[in-house]
Amino acid sequence: MFAQNHYSYKDNTGHFNPIIWDMNMAFGGFPFAGAGGTSMGSLTIAQMQQFPFDHHATDTFWPLINAVQANATYKRKYVAHMRTILTEFFTNNAYLSMASQLQTTIDTAVQSDTHKFFSYTQFQNGIDSLTDLGSYKIPGIKMLMNARATYLQSTPEFSAVTPFISAISSSVVSPVINTNFDMNATVGNVNANGVTLGYRFDKTQKFEKVAMYDDGAHNDGAANDDVFGVSLTMQGGTMQYYIYAENNNAGIFSPERAEHEFHILSASSQVPTAGQLVINEVLSENVNNEQDEYGNTEDWIEVYNNSNQLLDLSGVYLSDNLSNLNKWKFPASTTINPNSYLTIWADDDSSQQVYHTNFQLNKDSGMVILSNGSAQILDSISFANQSANISFGRYPNGTGNFIPMNTTYGYNNNNFALSIATIVKENDFNLYPNPATDNIVLEFDGEKSIAVYTIQGKQIYSGKGNKKQCINTFTWGNGIYIVKCGYKMQKLIIQQ
């Protein structure tokens, strides 16, 4: 492959991912090994069949290949994945079954194609036979890969005896979140320091790597008994993990497709009850607020776990209709960590995954209902006349009544979040003098709770009053404050 055909991007976990291009050049479709100081020019069929897996290892024109092949562990991991591909697709002839199936699928289209590069007969014989393409010949995939698999398996790197990994277990079947547990595995034919556990608690995270030990000091049984161990803390609803082991000659993963695939350990969880899981914030008029993973600005619903327990949402539903409580079900195995948030897009788009409901919200007259699947409502909210990008959120966070606020997507609600421009004087309480210096007076109907916040949202006063309340402001600095009386707010200016 030529260098200009290789593109990679670095994702948020720090991994580089290849962008696949020109797959028609694979499997002998292009008989070159790419440019560079040690380039192989036009390859013969035999050279394709016995192409070295570490070609360009020391060629400075190929820095990525240099980096992988120069690191012994990276090289063993690379070979381990190649060995898995050979085992899963080529040595068992699965690739031939797939090729035949694809050939049958497109047969009619190929026959009717008046612009094809090859004849229909060549297409029919292409799996097994050489195809003449002017100055060079393209091998049939069976001709290429059967011989290539045999060649690779004969090399020292592919024929080396690998470690074996078995009996992977956790000391606690379902660890309680934020508690410790031990991971163990039986690993043989391995170096003393050759076993690593990769783990993460969220699919958006990078796998962390920690060494596993067989020294008798890591809850691994006796020293040198081939049982390796490591202690961890359960930091999420599920832990995705894999094990890598190597000796001086070869490496192996469990599962073999790691990190693309992984083992899963689930934390102990409970079904939520009313008060534990609540609707925390709702935005039904998303104009230029948060975007979903598809780049769309959609309605959203934020739920919050008020408890110190991991909650299992597998049997929980969201709806916008009291006559149909079971309208949208949380996906299987969905959990929410203690004192944590989960946001669901209410966009009525079942084609989008994972947290996208089959209903939208009505900003003029809407509701959201959270239920347990047994007709028990865990929480609900009704709203009307929601303004663009102004949500309804609970204040205090998770427990209070709903008030309008600037959105606090995925984090703590605060009643100060509504911008100063949207806070207007309400008729049901008077505030004077304003601007003030040493004191302010609040007049209102009945008994109400009172709170005052700085412009940064820090609460500096709380109390209750009945019809009238005088508050000393002598120690407050100059600036803008927000006074909340009941569920109404006003702007206050202090000028000392």
Side-chain angles (χ1 to χ4, degrees):
M1 182 174 76
F2 290 128
Q4 72 267 19
N5 290 356
H6 183 93
Y7 293 89
S8 298
Y9 72 93
K10 187 178 182 181
D11 64 24
N12 64 308
T13 69
H15 287 82
F16 284 93
N17 300 270
I19 299 175
I20 305 300
W21 183 41
D22 272 354
M23 289 299 291
N24 60 306
M25 295 182 178
F27 299 113
F30 200 63
F32 299 99
T38 60
S39 172
M40 297 178 70
S42 182
L43 301 175
T44 66
I45 300 301
Q47 287 174 327
M48 293 181 193
Q49 292 169 333
Q50 299 187 22
F51 189 78
F53 76 91
D54 58 352
H55 187 58
H56 295 308
T58 58
D59 189 337
T60 56
F61 287 87
W62 300 80
L64 178 58
I65 294 176
N66 293 173
V68 172
Q69 297 294 335
N71 183 295
T73 292
Y74 289 171
K75 186 174 182 178
R76 291 174 192 133
K77 289 181 176 180
Y78 175 69
V79 171
H81 285 309
M82 285 189 68
R83 188 186 299 111
T84 298
I85 294 170
L86 278 176
T87 301
E88 291 185 349
F89 290 102
F90 294 102
T91 59
N92 61 359
N93 288 327
Y95 80 103
L96 290 176
S97 298
M98 182 182 295
S100 179
Q101 180 182 6
L102 293 173
Q103 189 179 48
T104 300
T105 300
I106 65 174
D107 183 85
T108 301
V110 172
Q111 288 190 66
S112 60
D113 185 357
T114 59
H115 300 286
K116 53 182 172 284
F117 293 153
F118 306 98
S119 69
Y120 178 63
T121 299
Q122 287 176 315
F123 163 73
Q124 288 180 304
N125 299 328
I127 291 178
D128 299 295
S129 305
L130 286 170
T131 298
D132 195 341
L133 192 63
S135 61
Y136 60 88
K137 296 182 184 298
I138 300 174
I141 191 171
K142 181 178 180 180
M143 177 186 298
L144 174 67
M145 291 310 302
N146 279 7
R148 178 146 184 77
T150 300
Y151 161 73
L152 288 172
Q153 289 178 315
S154 71
T155 64
E157 292 83 2
F158 280 78
S159 60
V161 179
T162 68
F164 65 84
I165 303 171
S166 64
I168 302 172
S169 64
S170 168
S171 61
V172 183
V173 175
S174 298
V176 175
I177 199 164
N178 295 324
T179 63
N180 297 331
F181 63 98
D182 302 312
M183 289 299 302
N184 296 107
T186 299
V187 186
N189 190 30
V190 66
N191 291 343
N193 299 316
V195 182
T196 302
L197 178 83
Y199 71 96
R200 65 184 181 184
F201 296 98
D202 188 275
K203 65 181 180 181
T204 64
Q205 296 175 346
K206 182 179 180 179
F207 280 92
E208 299 292 331
K209 317 297 196 305
V210 292
M212 299 183 72
Y213 298 93
D214 181 17
D215 57 3
H218 290 81
N219 295 322
D220 58 293
N224 303 316
D225 63 354
D226 287 345
V227 177
F228 287 73
V230 64
S231 296
L232 299 169
T233 302
M234 196 68 182
Q235 300 174 28
T238 58
M239 183 180 79
Q240 301 173 348
Y241 70 96
Y242 66 92
I243 293 175
Y244 172 74
E246 68 176 23
N247 53 39
N248 291 336
N249 302 309
I252 193 169
F253 290 88
S254 178
E256 291 191 13
R257 292 186 178 190
E259 296 173 343
H260 177 66
E261 294 179 357
F262 36 76
H263 302 298
I264 295 178
L265 179 68
S266 297
S268 174
S269 62
Q270 66 181 51
V271 176
T273 59
Q276 287 184 318
L277 182 69
V278 298
I279 301 165
N280 199 48
E281 189 174 359
V282 174
L283 180 65
S284 63
E285 180 70 353
N286 187 353
V287 175
N288 54 9
N289 192 254
E290 295 287 339
Q291 295 182 347
D292 66 12
E293 65 270 40
Y294 299 92
N296 302 320
T297 51
E298 307 286 5
D299 303 343
W300 51 262
I301 303 163
E302 178 190 87
V303 297
Y304 179 72
N305 182 353
N306 270 316
S307 75
N308 60 0
Q309 304 291 323
L310 179 72
L311 298 181
D312 180 5
L313 306 190
S314 298
V316 176
Y317 291 80
L318 280 171
S319 179
D320 63 344
N321 188 341
L322 281 170
S323 300
N324 182 9
L325 295 180
N326 296 353
K327 197 165 188 179
W328 182 81
K329 187 178 183 180
F330 282 85
S333 303
T334 300
T335 59
I336 182 170
N337 290 341
N339 308 119
S340 296
Y341 308 85
L342 178 61
T343 305
I344 301 93
W345 299 100
D347 55 5
D348 192 16
D349 193 342
S350 58
S351 67
Q352 295 184 347
Q353 303 292 329
V354 168
Y355 299 112
H356 292 260
T357 68
N358 54 359
F359 61 87
Q360 289 180 298
L361 303 180
N362 185 337
K363 69 181 182 67
D364 297 318
S365 178
M367 65 167 42
V368 179
I369 308 135
L370 190 67
S371 66
N372 67 356
S374 299
Q376 180 184 0
I377 294 177
L378 302 177
D379 197 14
S380 64
I381 174 182
S382 298
F383 51 87
N385 304 318
Q386 194 171 78
S387 301
N389 302 321
I390 301 298
S391 65
F392 283 106
R394 287 188 179 277
Y395 184 81
N397 186 81
T399 59
N401 292 316
F402 284 91
I403 62 171
M405 60 174 60
N406 280 343
T407 60
T408 55
Y409 179 96
Y411 61 93
N412 187 68
N413 294 348
N414 60 77
N415 74 326
F416 181 74
L418 193 61
S419 64
I420 295 299
T422 66
I423 299 174
V424 296
K425 185 173 181 179
E426 302 290 344
N427 293 329
D428 64 348
F429 85 95
N430 294 321
L431 168 63
Y432 62 89
N434 192 6
T437 53
D438 297 340
N439 296 278
I440 56 172
V441 176
L442 281 72
E443 294 180 343
F444 43 85
D445 295 330
E447 184 178 23
K448 286 185 170 60
S449 59
I450 300 166
V452 181
Y453 300 85
T454 66
I455 191 71
Q456 292 80 23
K458 179 181 178 181
Q459 185 171 342
I460 61 171
Y461 176 87
S462 65
K464 287 186 177 181
N466 191 353
K467 295 187 178 181
K468 187 173 184 178
Q469 183 80 4
C470 182
I471 302 174
N472 188 319
T473 62
F474 179 75
T475 59
W476 300 358
N478 291 338
I480 300 174
Y481 296 80
I482 301 302
V483 179
K484 181 169 179 280
C485 183
Y487 299 108
K488 304 297 183 180
M489 294 179 288
Q490 289 192 45
K491 178 174 68 176
L492 168 66
I493 298 175
I494 299 294
Q495 293 179 345
Q496 302 288 3

